[in-house]
């Protein structure tokens, strides 16, 4: 197969975003826009990806990492000038080169593949990716002759009334014969009001040389959306979210209200899992089958196995094993691992702790820096006191232990298997198996004292 190259244009600052963050790094459904473009190029089996960076070059390169090679456009002198920066890396190669902007996160690998295939079939020097726009205002129009051959691209400001009525628009994506692209770039001039080198002028050069210029019209106009401001960014998020949700539902996930279900790109969810509305699932989250996630839940970078129930709770960098449940209004913080069939009730917080199979932590408790065994009962209001003001310390609780309500376990401490902590105790010493630990002052009743009180 002919070698396929791609050039991502990612040098612009994006002044209309009104942001300290460089434009291509603004996120759409949990990923920088340029990362979405890279995902789809990789899916289209591109052999060689070059990213043109400029403003914030180091930050953009750090976000992309080893997924692409980089060239620097020191001055922003137009799209043609940006492509010129890849001359040393690509000019001598045979093959085809796709040029795409880093602020177009909605293109798909399937569209890129079809563009390459069409370009190859037509033996073209350049193929323009086009679409039918419901409202073409502001876009360059594709002008074809009476037999459908592309004559030219006309920008909005230069279009006649007849040309403005054309709905086929230039998406800004092109597939070139690589050698012909770089040969034409040598002929490019900047004799225009902006003093810039335009990639669209390369098409005119190739046309003038008698080369074949074609256009492939894709079906979904929304794919071509470029993001230049926050309004477009919000719209891109909506479109990407609709795509993500539709794909998950096709795979067997139930969403009671897809319009208010917010799931990042890359999240994986098993079949027969049900998501209520107003659910947020972000990052590198994996959710198994037959789970139930209720409204108000927020799950970030977490793993949920099968048959897990999350009720209006927050999970971050946590793991819940088969049959476990949590909530409402509880919080799993980083390194919380909830074992099989564990119950975490309402208003509980778990951090850096392992909770063993069948253990129950009903309500209003904090468990931090701890290892809990199997079938333990943790009463209401229990606090694992893990911090001494300078360092964190660990608590171990053995299988079948009982921790009474309103107890404090002051770490480091070991509660042995089958031992019992009486309600209201503050435990500072280890227990042995079958011990009952009571650590509270003995009750004293003052006879008739209440009569002396002012009320």
């Amino acid at each position: 197969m002919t070698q396929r190259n791609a050039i991502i244009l990612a040098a612009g600052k994006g002044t209309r975003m009104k942001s300290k963050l460089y434009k291509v790094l603004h996120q759409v459904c949990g990923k920088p826009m340029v990362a979405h473009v890279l995902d789809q190029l990789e899916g289209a089996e591109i052999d060689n990806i070059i990213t043109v960076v400029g403003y914030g070059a180091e930050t953009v390169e750090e976000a992309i990492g080893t997924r692409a090679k980089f060239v620097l456009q020191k001055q922003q002198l137009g799209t043609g000038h940006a492509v010129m920066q890849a001359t040393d890396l690509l000019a001598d190669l045979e093959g085809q080169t796709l040029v795409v902007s880093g602020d177009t996160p909605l293109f798909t690998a399937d569209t890129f593949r079809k563009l390459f295939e069409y370009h190859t079939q037509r033996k073209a020097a350049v193929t323009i990716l086009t679409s039918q726009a419901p409202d073409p205002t502001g876009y360059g129009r594709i002008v074809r002759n009476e037999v459908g051959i592309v004559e030219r691209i006309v920008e909005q400001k230069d279009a006649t009334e007849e040309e403005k009525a054309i709905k086929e628009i230039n998406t800004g994506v092109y597939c070139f014969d690589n050698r012909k692209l770089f040969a034409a770039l040598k002929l490019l001039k900047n004799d225009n009001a902006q003093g810039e080198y335009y990639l669209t002028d390369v098409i005119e050069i190739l046309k003038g040389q008698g080369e074949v210029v074609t256009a492939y019209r894709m079906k979904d106009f929304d794919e071509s959306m470029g993001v230049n401001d926050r309004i477009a960014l919000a719209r891109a998020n909506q479109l990407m979210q609709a795509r993500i949700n539709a794909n998950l539902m096709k795979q067997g996930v139930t969403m009671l209200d897809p319009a208010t279900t917010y799931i990042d790109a890359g999240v994986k969810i098993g079949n027969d899992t049900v998501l209520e509305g107003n659910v947020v699932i972000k990052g590198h989250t994996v959710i198994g089958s037959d789970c139930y996630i209720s409204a108000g839940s927020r799950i970030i970078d977490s793993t949920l196995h099968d048959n897990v129930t999350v009720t209006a709770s927050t999970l971050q960098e946590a793991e819940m094993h088969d049959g476990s449940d949590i909530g409402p209004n509880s919080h799993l913080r980083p390194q919380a691992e909830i074992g099989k069939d564990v119950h975490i009730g309402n208003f509980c917080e778990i951090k850096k702790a392992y909770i063993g199979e069948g253990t129950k932590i009903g309500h209003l408790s904090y468990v931090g820096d701890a290892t809990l065994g199997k079938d333990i009962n943790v009463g209401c209001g229990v606090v694992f006191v893990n911090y001494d003001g300078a360092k964190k310390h660990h608590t171990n609780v053995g299988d079948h232990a009982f921790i009474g309500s309103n107890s404090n376990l002051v770490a480091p401490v070991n509660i042995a298997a089958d031992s019992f902590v009486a309600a209201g105790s503050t435990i500072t010493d280890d227990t042995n198996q079958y011990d009952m630990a009571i650590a509270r002052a003995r009750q004293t009743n003052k006879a008739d004292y209440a009569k002396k009180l002012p009320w």
Side-chain angles (χ1 to χ4, degrees), residues 368-370 383-388 391-396 408-414 427-430:
D369 294 275
V383 177
F384 284 61
V385 185
N386 59 331
Y387 185 49
D388 65 6
K391 295 180 180 180
K392 299 289 182 71
H393 301 279
H394 199 82
T395 296
N396 296 299
N408 300 307
L409 307 183
V410 182
V413 69
N414 297 295
I427 303 299
T428 58
D429 297 323
D430 294 353

PDB file of all heavy atoms in Angstrom, residues 368-370 383-388 391-396 408-414 427-430:
ATOM      1  N   GLY A 368      -9.648   5.848  56.282  1.00  0.00           N
ATOM      2  CA  GLY A 368      -8.483   6.277  55.529  1.00  0.00           C
ATOM      3  C   GLY A 368      -7.249   5.513  55.927  1.00  0.00           C
ATOM      4  O   GLY A 368      -7.053   5.218  57.129  1.00  0.00           O
ATOM      5  N   ASP A 369      -6.402   5.156  54.968  1.00  0.00           N
ATOM      6  CA  ASP A 369      -5.142   4.441  55.230  1.00  0.00           C
ATOM      7  C   ASP A 369      -5.407   3.193  56.063  1.00  0.00           C
ATOM      8  O   ASP A 369      -4.920   3.049  57.202  1.00  0.00           O
ATOM      9  CB  ASP A 369      -4.136   5.353  55.944  1.00  0.00           C
ATOM     10  CG  ASP A 369      -3.692   6.497  55.057  1.00  0.00           C
ATOM     11  OD1 ASP A 369      -2.763   6.304  54.266  1.00  0.00           O
ATOM     12  OD2 ASP A 369      -4.321   7.577  55.132  1.00  0.00           O
ATOM     13  N   ALA A 370      -6.189   2.273  55.499  1.00  0.00           N
ATOM     14  CA  ALA A 370      -6.603   1.106  56.281  1.00  0.00           C
ATOM     15  C   ALA A 370      -6.766  -0.120  55.405  1.00  0.00           C
ATOM     16  O   ALA A 370      -6.992  -0.017  54.197  1.00  0.00           O
ATOM     17  CB  ALA A 370      -7.914   1.400  57.008  1.00  0.00           C
ATOM     18  N   VAL A 383     -14.564   6.754  62.902  1.00  0.00           N
ATOM     19  CA  VAL A 383     -13.479   7.502  62.255  1.00  0.00           C
ATOM     20  C   VAL A 383     -12.187   6.712  62.402  1.00  0.00           C
ATOM     21  O   VAL A 383     -11.787   6.353  63.524  1.00  0.00           O
ATOM     22  CB  VAL A 383     -13.311   8.907  62.875  1.00  0.00           C
ATOM     23  CG1 VAL A 383     -12.120   9.627  62.233  1.00  0.00           C
ATOM     24  CG2 VAL A 383     -14.586   9.720  62.692  1.00  0.00           C
ATOM     25  N   PHE A 384     -11.532   6.456  61.275  1.00  0.00           N
ATOM     26  CA  PHE A 384     -10.177   5.917  61.274  1.00  0.00           C
ATOM     27  C   PHE A 384      -9.233   7.112  61.350  1.00  0.00           C
ATOM     28  O   PHE A 384      -9.052   7.839  60.373  1.00  0.00           O
ATOM     29  CB  PHE A 384      -9.939   5.088  60.023  1.00  0.00           C
ATOM     30  CG  PHE A 384     -10.572   3.725  60.052  1.00  0.00           C
ATOM     31  CD1 PHE A 384     -11.951   3.568  60.161  1.00  0.00           C
ATOM     32  CD2 PHE A 384      -9.787   2.585  60.001  1.00  0.00           C
ATOM     33  CE1 PHE A 384     -12.535   2.316  60.195  1.00  0.00           C
ATOM     34  CE2 PHE A 384     -10.354   1.312  60.045  1.00  0.00           C
ATOM     35  CZ  PHE A 384     -11.739   1.177  60.142  1.00  0.00           C
ATOM     36  N   VAL A 385      -8.647   7.326  62.511  1.00  0.00           N
ATOM     37  CA  VAL A 385      -7.853   8.531  62.767  1.00  0.00           C
ATOM     38  C   VAL A 385      -6.443   8.262  62.253  1.00  0.00           C
ATOM     39  O   VAL A 385      -5.609   7.680  62.950  1.00  0.00           O
ATOM     40  CB  VAL A 385      -7.853   8.870  64.272  1.00  0.00           C
ATOM     41  CG1 VAL A 385      -7.134  10.193  64.513  1.00  0.00           C
ATOM     42  CG2 VAL A 385      -9.284   8.934  64.803  1.00  0.00           C
ATOM     43  N   ASN A 386      -6.171   8.684  61.032  1.00  0.00           N
ATOM     44  CA  ASN A 386      -4.941   8.274  60.350  1.00  0.00           C
ATOM     45  C   ASN A 386      -3.843   9.323  60.333  1.00  0.00           C
ATOM     46  O   ASN A 386      -2.721   9.026  59.944  1.00  0.00           O
ATOM     47  CB  ASN A 386      -5.260   7.867  58.901  1.00  0.00           C
ATOM     48  CG  ASN A 386      -5.901   8.998  58.109  1.00  0.00           C
ATOM     49  OD1 ASN A 386      -6.582   9.849  58.665  1.00  0.00           O
ATOM     50  ND2 ASN A 386      -5.691   9.001  56.801  1.00  0.00           N
ATOM     51  N   TYR A 387      -4.125  10.532  60.773  1.00  0.00           N
ATOM     52  CA  TYR A 387      -3.166  11.635  60.599  1.00  0.00           C
ATOM     53  C   TYR A 387      -2.826  12.245  61.951  1.00  0.00           C
ATOM     54  O   TYR A 387      -3.721  12.662  62.698  1.00  0.00           O
ATOM     55  CB  TYR A 387      -3.789  12.682  59.678  1.00  0.00           C
ATOM     56  CG  TYR A 387      -2.883  13.832  59.286  1.00  0.00           C
ATOM     57  CD1 TYR A 387      -1.590  13.604  58.812  1.00  0.00           C
ATOM     58  CD2 TYR A 387      -3.325  15.145  59.381  1.00  0.00           C
ATOM     59  CE1 TYR A 387      -0.773  14.665  58.438  1.00  0.00           C
ATOM     60  CE2 TYR A 387      -2.519  16.208  59.004  1.00  0.00           C
ATOM     61  CZ  TYR A 387      -1.244  15.966  58.545  1.00  0.00           C
ATOM     62  OH  TYR A 387      -0.431  17.016  58.175  1.00  0.00           O
ATOM     63  N   ASP A 388      -1.513  12.304  62.243  1.00  0.00           N
ATOM     64  CA  ASP A 388      -1.088  12.854  63.534  1.00  0.00           C
ATOM     65  C   ASP A 388      -0.645  14.310  63.444  1.00  0.00           C
ATOM     66  O   ASP A 388      -0.076  14.858  64.391  1.00  0.00           O
ATOM     67  CB  ASP A 388       0.018  11.991  64.150  1.00  0.00           C
ATOM     68  CG  ASP A 388       1.304  12.017  63.323  1.00  0.00           C
ATOM     69  OD1 ASP A 388       1.399  12.787  62.339  1.00  0.00           O
ATOM     70  OD2 ASP A 388       2.242  11.241  63.664  1.00  0.00           O
ATOM     71  N   LYS A 391       2.346  12.943  59.868  1.00  0.00           N
ATOM     72  CA  LYS A 391       2.417  11.745  59.037  1.00  0.00           C
ATOM     73  C   LYS A 391       1.086  11.007  59.050  1.00  0.00           C
ATOM     74  O   LYS A 391       0.299  11.122  59.995  1.00  0.00           O
ATOM     75  CB  LYS A 391       3.517  10.810  59.539  1.00  0.00           C
ATOM     76  CG  LYS A 391       4.928  11.376  59.425  1.00  0.00           C
ATOM     77  CD  LYS A 391       5.950  10.375  59.953  1.00  0.00           C
ATOM     78  CE  LYS A 391       7.371  10.912  59.847  1.00  0.00           C
ATOM     79  NZ  LYS A 391       8.366   9.939  60.366  1.00  0.00           N
ATOM     80  N   LYS A 392       0.876  10.190  57.996  1.00  0.00           N
ATOM     81  CA  LYS A 392      -0.281   9.302  57.933  1.00  0.00           C
ATOM     82  C   LYS A 392       0.121   7.923  58.466  1.00  0.00           C
ATOM     83  O   LYS A 392       1.240   7.467  58.263  1.00  0.00           O
ATOM     84  CB  LYS A 392      -0.774   9.170  56.488  1.00  0.00           C
ATOM     85  CG  LYS A 392      -1.231  10.480  55.846  1.00  0.00           C
ATOM     86  CD  LYS A 392      -2.533  10.964  56.441  1.00  0.00           C
ATOM     87  CE  LYS A 392      -3.021  12.237  55.778  1.00  0.00           C
ATOM     88  NZ  LYS A 392      -3.509  12.021  54.413  1.00  0.00           N
ATOM     89  N   HIS A 393      -0.801   7.268  59.139  1.00  0.00           N
ATOM     90  CA  HIS A 393      -0.534   5.959  59.721  1.00  0.00           C
ATOM     91  C   HIS A 393      -1.635   4.982  59.328  1.00  0.00           C
ATOM     92  O   HIS A 393      -2.765   5.371  58.991  1.00  0.00           O
ATOM     93  CB  HIS A 393      -0.430   6.055  61.239  1.00  0.00           C
ATOM     94  CG  HIS A 393       0.653   6.977  61.710  1.00  0.00           C
ATOM     95  ND1 HIS A 393       1.977   6.614  61.782  1.00  0.00           N
ATOM     96  CD2 HIS A 393       0.597   8.279  62.093  1.00  0.00           C
ATOM     97  CE1 HIS A 393       2.700   7.627  62.214  1.00  0.00           C
ATOM     98  NE2 HIS A 393       1.889   8.662  62.406  1.00  0.00           N
ATOM     99  N   HIS A 394      -1.324   3.687  59.421  1.00  0.00           N
ATOM    100  CA  HIS A 394      -2.207   2.652  58.887  1.00  0.00           C
ATOM    101  C   HIS A 394      -2.938   1.910  60.005  1.00  0.00           C
ATOM    102  O   HIS A 394      -2.403   1.708  61.098  1.00  0.00           O
ATOM    103  CB  HIS A 394      -1.385   1.641  58.074  1.00  0.00           C
ATOM    104  CG  HIS A 394      -2.198   0.824  57.130  1.00  0.00           C
ATOM    105  ND1 HIS A 394      -2.581   1.277  55.882  1.00  0.00           N
ATOM    106  CD2 HIS A 394      -2.708  -0.435  57.251  1.00  0.00           C
ATOM    107  CE1 HIS A 394      -3.282   0.335  55.274  1.00  0.00           C
ATOM    108  NE2 HIS A 394      -3.384  -0.713  56.082  1.00  0.00           N
ATOM    109  N   THR A 395      -4.174   1.495  59.674  1.00  0.00           N
ATOM    110  CA  THR A 395      -4.973   0.677  60.584  1.00  0.00           C
ATOM    111  C   THR A 395      -5.331  -0.631  59.893  1.00  0.00           C
ATOM    112  O   THR A 395      -5.706  -0.638  58.711  1.00  0.00           O
ATOM    113  CB  THR A 395      -6.265   1.407  60.989  1.00  0.00           C
ATOM    114  OG1 THR A 395      -5.940   2.587  61.719  1.00  0.00           O
ATOM    115  CG2 THR A 395      -7.167   0.523  61.829  1.00  0.00           C
ATOM    116  N   ASN A 396      -5.239  -1.745  60.626  1.00  0.00           N
ATOM    117  CA  ASN A 396      -5.674  -3.052  60.131  1.00  0.00           C
ATOM    118  C   ASN A 396      -6.832  -3.552  60.983  1.00  0.00           C
ATOM    119  O   ASN A 396      -6.773  -3.478  62.216  1.00  0.00           O
ATOM    120  CB  ASN A 396      -4.526  -4.067  60.201  1.00  0.00           C
ATOM    121  CG  ASN A 396      -3.375  -3.699  59.288  1.00  0.00           C
ATOM    122  OD1 ASN A 396      -3.544  -3.608  58.082  1.00  0.00           O
ATOM    123  ND2 ASN A 396      -2.205  -3.468  59.875  1.00  0.00           N
ATOM    124  N   ASN A 408     -13.439   5.773  67.548  1.00  0.00           N
ATOM    125  CA  ASN A 408     -12.266   6.317  66.884  1.00  0.00           C
ATOM    126  C   ASN A 408     -11.142   5.291  66.960  1.00  0.00           C
ATOM    127  O   ASN A 408     -10.787   4.853  68.064  1.00  0.00           O
ATOM    128  CB  ASN A 408     -11.799   7.613  67.558  1.00  0.00           C
ATOM    129  CG  ASN A 408     -12.869   8.683  67.534  1.00  0.00           C
ATOM    130  OD1 ASN A 408     -13.394   9.007  66.483  1.00  0.00           O
ATOM    131  ND2 ASN A 408     -13.203   9.219  68.703  1.00  0.00           N
ATOM    132  N   LEU A 409     -10.596   4.915  65.803  1.00  0.00           N
ATOM    133  CA  LEU A 409      -9.461   3.998  65.772  1.00  0.00           C
ATOM    134  C   LEU A 409      -8.229   4.829  65.444  1.00  0.00           C
ATOM    135  O   LEU A 409      -8.051   5.290  64.313  1.00  0.00           O
ATOM    136  CB  LEU A 409      -9.686   2.905  64.716  1.00  0.00           C
ATOM    137  CG  LEU A 409     -11.001   2.126  64.817  1.00  0.00           C
ATOM    138  CD1 LEU A 409     -11.043   1.031  63.755  1.00  0.00           C
ATOM    139  CD2 LEU A 409     -11.194   1.544  66.205  1.00  0.00           C
ATOM    140  N   VAL A 410      -7.372   5.025  66.443  1.00  0.00           N
ATOM    141  CA  VAL A 410      -6.245   5.939  66.298  1.00  0.00           C
ATOM    142  C   VAL A 410      -5.030   5.163  65.780  1.00  0.00           C
ATOM    143  O   VAL A 410      -4.442   4.346  66.497  1.00  0.00           O
ATOM    144  CB  VAL A 410      -5.925   6.639  67.639  1.00  0.00           C
ATOM    145  CG1 VAL A 410      -4.774   7.626  67.441  1.00  0.00           C
ATOM    146  CG2 VAL A 410      -7.157   7.356  68.175  1.00  0.00           C
ATOM    147  N   ALA A 411      -4.651   5.424  64.551  1.00  0.00           N
ATOM    148  CA  ALA A 411      -3.551   4.716  63.900  1.00  0.00           C
ATOM    149  C   ALA A 411      -2.196   5.198  64.417  1.00  0.00           C
ATOM    150  O   ALA A 411      -2.069   6.347  64.854  1.00  0.00           O
ATOM    151  CB  ALA A 411      -3.645   4.919  62.389  1.00  0.00           C
ATOM    152  N   PRO A 412      -1.194   4.296  64.396  1.00  0.00           N
ATOM    153  CA  PRO A 412      -1.254   2.907  63.910  1.00  0.00           C
ATOM    154  C   PRO A 412      -1.855   1.991  64.966  1.00  0.00           C
ATOM    155  O   PRO A 412      -1.501   2.072  66.144  1.00  0.00           O
ATOM    156  CB  PRO A 412       0.210   2.564  63.646  1.00  0.00           C
ATOM    157  CG  PRO A 412       0.967   3.424  64.617  1.00  0.00           C
ATOM    158  CD  PRO A 412       0.185   4.693  64.750  1.00  0.00           C
ATOM    159  N   VAL A 413      -2.760   1.123  64.511  1.00  0.00           N
ATOM    160  CA  VAL A 413      -3.411   0.215  65.434  1.00  0.00           C
ATOM    161  C   VAL A 413      -3.912  -1.002  64.663  1.00  0.00           C
ATOM    162  O   VAL A 413      -4.233  -0.893  63.467  1.00  0.00           O
ATOM    163  CB  VAL A 413      -4.570   0.913  66.187  1.00  0.00           C
ATOM    164  CG1 VAL A 413      -5.735   1.220  65.257  1.00  0.00           C
ATOM    165  CG2 VAL A 413      -5.027   0.118  67.406  1.00  0.00           C
ATOM    166  N   ASN A 414      -3.954  -2.161  65.368  1.00  0.00           N
ATOM    167  CA  ASN A 414      -4.423  -3.392  64.755  1.00  0.00           C
ATOM    168  C   ASN A 414      -5.601  -3.933  65.548  1.00  0.00           C
ATOM    169  O   ASN A 414      -5.472  -4.217  66.754  1.00  0.00           O
ATOM    170  CB  ASN A 414      -3.302  -4.436  64.723  1.00  0.00           C
ATOM    171  CG  ASN A 414      -2.124  -3.990  63.869  1.00  0.00           C
ATOM    172  OD1 ASN A 414      -2.265  -3.836  62.663  1.00  0.00           O
ATOM    173  ND2 ASN A 414      -0.978  -3.790  64.501  1.00  0.00           N
ATOM    174  N   ILE A 427      -9.852   3.983  70.449  1.00  0.00           N
ATOM    175  CA  ILE A 427      -8.932   2.846  70.552  1.00  0.00           C
ATOM    176  C   ILE A 427      -7.530   3.267  70.117  1.00  0.00           C
ATOM    177  O   ILE A 427      -7.319   3.715  68.986  1.00  0.00           O
ATOM    178  CB  ILE A 427      -9.423   1.668  69.682  1.00  0.00           C
ATOM    179  CG1 ILE A 427     -10.832   1.258  70.085  1.00  0.00           C
ATOM    180  CG2 ILE A 427      -8.455   0.497  69.760  1.00  0.00           C
ATOM    181  CD1 ILE A 427     -10.965   0.789  71.519  1.00  0.00           C
ATOM    182  N   THR A 428      -6.578   3.100  71.020  1.00  0.00           N
ATOM    183  CA  THR A 428      -5.181   3.438  70.722  1.00  0.00           C
ATOM    184  C   THR A 428      -4.258   2.233  70.797  1.00  0.00           C
ATOM    185  O   THR A 428      -3.096   2.318  70.388  1.00  0.00           O
ATOM    186  CB  THR A 428      -4.672   4.520  71.688  1.00  0.00           C
ATOM    187  OG1 THR A 428      -4.809   4.036  73.028  1.00  0.00           O
ATOM    188  CG2 THR A 428      -5.459   5.810  71.524  1.00  0.00           C
ATOM    189  N   ASP A 429      -4.747   1.121  71.341  1.00  0.00           N
ATOM    190  CA  ASP A 429      -3.925  -0.077  71.510  1.00  0.00           C
ATOM    191  C   ASP A 429      -4.497  -1.230  70.695  1.00  0.00           C
ATOM    192  O   ASP A 429      -5.710  -1.305  70.454  1.00  0.00           O
ATOM    193  CB  ASP A 429      -3.871  -0.484  72.986  1.00  0.00           C
ATOM    194  CG  ASP A 429      -3.211   0.571  73.852  1.00  0.00           C
ATOM    195  OD1 ASP A 429      -2.241   1.196  73.375  1.00  0.00           O
ATOM    196  OD2 ASP A 429      -3.682   0.775  74.984  1.00  0.00           O
ATOM    197  N   ASP A 430      -3.615  -2.150  70.309  1.00  0.00           N
ATOM    198  CA  ASP A 430      -4.042  -3.322  69.543  1.00  0.00           C
ATOM    199  C   ASP A 430      -4.983  -4.194  70.372  1.00  0.00           C
ATOM    200  O   ASP A 430      -4.935  -4.215  71.615  1.00  0.00           O
ATOM    201  CB  ASP A 430      -2.836  -4.154  69.128  1.00  0.00           C
ATOM    202  CG  ASP A 430      -1.920  -3.437  68.144  1.00  0.00           C
ATOM    203  OD1 ASP A 430      -2.299  -2.337  67.673  1.00  0.00           O
ATOM    204  OD2 ASP A 430      -0.836  -3.968  67.850  1.00  0.00           O
TER     205      ASP A 430
END
